[in-house]
């Protein structure tokens, strides 16, 4: 596992110090270089008759923003380049990653208002959906000042039973080894949380558990890893949160794949895992 080029989109929010701390740790561990990118958006004023694009000087704004970007510190000896572009943030983040062979995007999550716990920021959600490379997001919690440790000692991989989970397990295992971390694999069977299901169909419940363990063991063999397997009997996002808190997990690894053309390429449970996880999540 190697991330040679890490992209850190900068929004100058309170969450950026935590992302920078983790990006530096990741780059130092894996020998990566870092690119900082801030995207300047064209200002729009809302009037009763509708939105109105203000007359502004993008060159002046870019110069001012570049000065702020140059003041960002905390990367130690990691090679860092700084870029400022003008346009739609999510689109330009993905385009920059594609043009510059970025292996990993590391960015904060956002959400506002009383529905914050249910929503990711629109930029983060679009990058997760559109990016062709891996995406790291920080813990989606209320207090951005509570910075978690950046050292990775325990990695939790949320794996399904489909064939593509082999690749996920392989990458999660490689990353854990590169960081000197312990890997645990969790698979959720939400149907087993039903008391009625357990009482009346105990034999079938055992069959589901045994089948899941067998298939995950086969996937691990193909991925050349042999991590502990935990079968959770609850919704996957809740299982990940509880296990991560119980085991002191520093990073959760999940996969992204096609669910349908109508809904895009991000798995249906991925948003929930990212929202609920008490630690950063990396999606391969």
């Amino acid at each position: 596992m190697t991330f040679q080029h890490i992209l850190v989109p900068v929004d100058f929010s309170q969450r950026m110090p935590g992302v920078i701390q983790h990006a530096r740790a990741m780059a130092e561990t894996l020998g990566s270089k870092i690119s900082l990118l801030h995207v300047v958006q064209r200002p729009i004023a809302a009037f009763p008759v509708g939105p109105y694009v203000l007359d502004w000087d993008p060159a002046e704004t870019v110069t001012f923003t570049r000065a702020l970007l140059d003041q960002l510190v905390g990367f130690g000896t990691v090679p860092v380049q700084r870029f400022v572009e003008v346009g739609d943030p999510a689109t330009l983040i993905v385009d920059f990653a594609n043009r510059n062979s970025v292996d990993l995007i590391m960015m904060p999550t956002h959400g506002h208002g009383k529905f914050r716990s249910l929503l990711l920021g629109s930029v983060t959600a679009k990058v997760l959906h559109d990016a062709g490379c891996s995406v790291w997001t920080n813990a989606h919690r209320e207090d951005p000042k509570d910075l978690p440790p950046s050292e990775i000692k325990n990695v939790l991989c949320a794996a399904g039973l489909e064939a593509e989970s082999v690749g996920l397990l392989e990458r999660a295992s490689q990353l854990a080894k590169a960081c000197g971390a312990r890997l645990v694999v969790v698979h959720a069977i939400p149907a087993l949380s039903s008391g009625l299901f357990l009482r009346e169909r105990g034999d079938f419940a055992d069959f589901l558990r045994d089948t899941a363990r067998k298939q995950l063991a086969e996937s691990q063999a193909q991925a050349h890893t042999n991590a502990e397997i935990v079968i959770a009997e609850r919704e996957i996002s809740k299982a990940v949160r509880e296990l991560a808190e119980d085991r002191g997990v520093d990073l959760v690894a999940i996969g992204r794949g096609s669910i349908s053309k109508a809904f895009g390429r991000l798995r249906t449970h991925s948003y929930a895992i990212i929202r609920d996880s008490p630690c950063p999540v990396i999606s391969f």
Side-chain angles (χ1 to χ4, degrees), residues 146-210:
D146 181 20
L147 300 181
S150 55
E151 185 178 5
I152 299 175
K153 296 181 179 179
N154 294 286
V155 177
L156 177 63
C157 180
L161 302 181
E162 61 278 355
E164 64 190 48
S165 290
V166 174
L168 169 62
L169 289 167
E170 185 174 23
R171 301 198 71 184
S173 175
Q174 291 173 349
L175 180 58
K177 289 178 180 178
C179 296
R182 180 172 181 266
L183 177 66
V184 175
V185 177
V186 60
H187 175 74
I189 308 178
L192 295 182
S193 62
S194 169
L196 179 63
F197 182 90
L198 289 174
R199 284 195 302 271
E200 297 187 358
R201 302 182 181 180
D203 291 342
F204 186 58
D206 290 338
F207 169 77
L208 290 179
R209 296 189 194 95
D210 293 341

Side-chain angles (χ1 to χ4, degrees), residues 216-229:
L216 286 171
E218 292 175 353
S219 295
Q220 286 207 84
Q222 295 179 55
H224 307 290
T225 185
N226 186 30
E228 175 189 356
I229 297 173

Side-chain angles (χ1 to χ4, degrees), residues 28-249:
E28 288 178 339
T29 299
L30 302 177
S32 315
K33 67 178 182 180
I34 291 177
S35 289
L36 304 180
L37 171 65
H38 177 74
V39 179
V40 176
Q41 292 180 271
R42 181 178 295 275
I44 297 177
F47 290 92
V49 295
Y52 176 76
V53 178
L54 299 175
D55 185 20
W56 69 301
D57 183 1
E60 182 179 348
T61 305
V62 167
T63 299
F64 175 76
T65 306
R66 177 57 191 255
L68 293 178
L69 203 59
D70 288 340
Q71 295 174 19
L72 280 182
V73 295
F75 297 96
T77 59
V78 175
V80 178
Q81 290 184 298
R82 294 166 168 83
F83 302 88
V84 178
E85 298 188 5
V86 180
D88 175 68
T91 300
L92 290 181
I93 289 169
V94 173
D95 287 348
F96 184 96
N98 292 336
R99 295 194 315 266
N100 295 278
S101 301
V102 168
D103 306 298
L104 175 66
I105 300 173
M106 299 183 71
M107 62 189 302
T109 64
H110 287 284
H112 304 282
K114 67 179 183 178
F115 297 112
R116 182 187 183 284
S117 62
L118 302 177
L119 301 171
L120 296 180
S122 58
V123 174
T124 304
K126 193 172 190 309
V127 170
L128 281 164
H129 183 278
D130 293 347
C133 62
S134 301
V135 180
W136 177 103
T137 51
N138 67 346
H140 189 68
R141 56 168 162 262
E142 293 292 340
D143 187 4
K145 297 179 182 178
D146 181 20
L147 300 181
S150 55
E151 185 178 5
I152 299 175
K153 296 181 179 179
N154 294 286
V155 177
L156 177 63
C157 180
L161 302 181
E162 61 278 355
E164 64 190 48
S165 290
V166 174
L168 169 62
L169 289 167
E170 185 174 23
R171 301 198 71 184
S173 175
Q174 291 173 349
L175 180 58
K177 289 178 180 178
C179 296
R182 180 172 181 266
L183 177 66
V184 175
V185 177
V186 60
H187 175 74
I189 308 178
L192 295 182
S193 62
S194 169
L196 179 63
F197 182 90
L198 289 174
R199 284 195 302 271
E200 297 187 358
R201 302 182 181 180
D203 291 342
F204 186 58
D206 290 338
F207 169 77
L208 290 179
R209 296 189 194 95
D210 293 341
T211 299
R213 284 188 179 278
K214 180 179 179 181
Q215 291 188 35
L216 286 171
E218 292 175 353
S219 295
Q220 286 207 84
Q222 295 179 55
H224 307 290
T225 185
N226 186 30
E228 175 189 356
I229 297 173
V230 176
I231 303 298
E233 301 179 3
R234 62 187 64 80
E235 184 180 328
I236 182 60
S237 64
K238 294 179 180 178
V240 167
R241 183 184 67 239
E242 293 172 5
L243 192 57
E245 291 174 343
D246 182 60
R247 300 289 186 94
V249 169

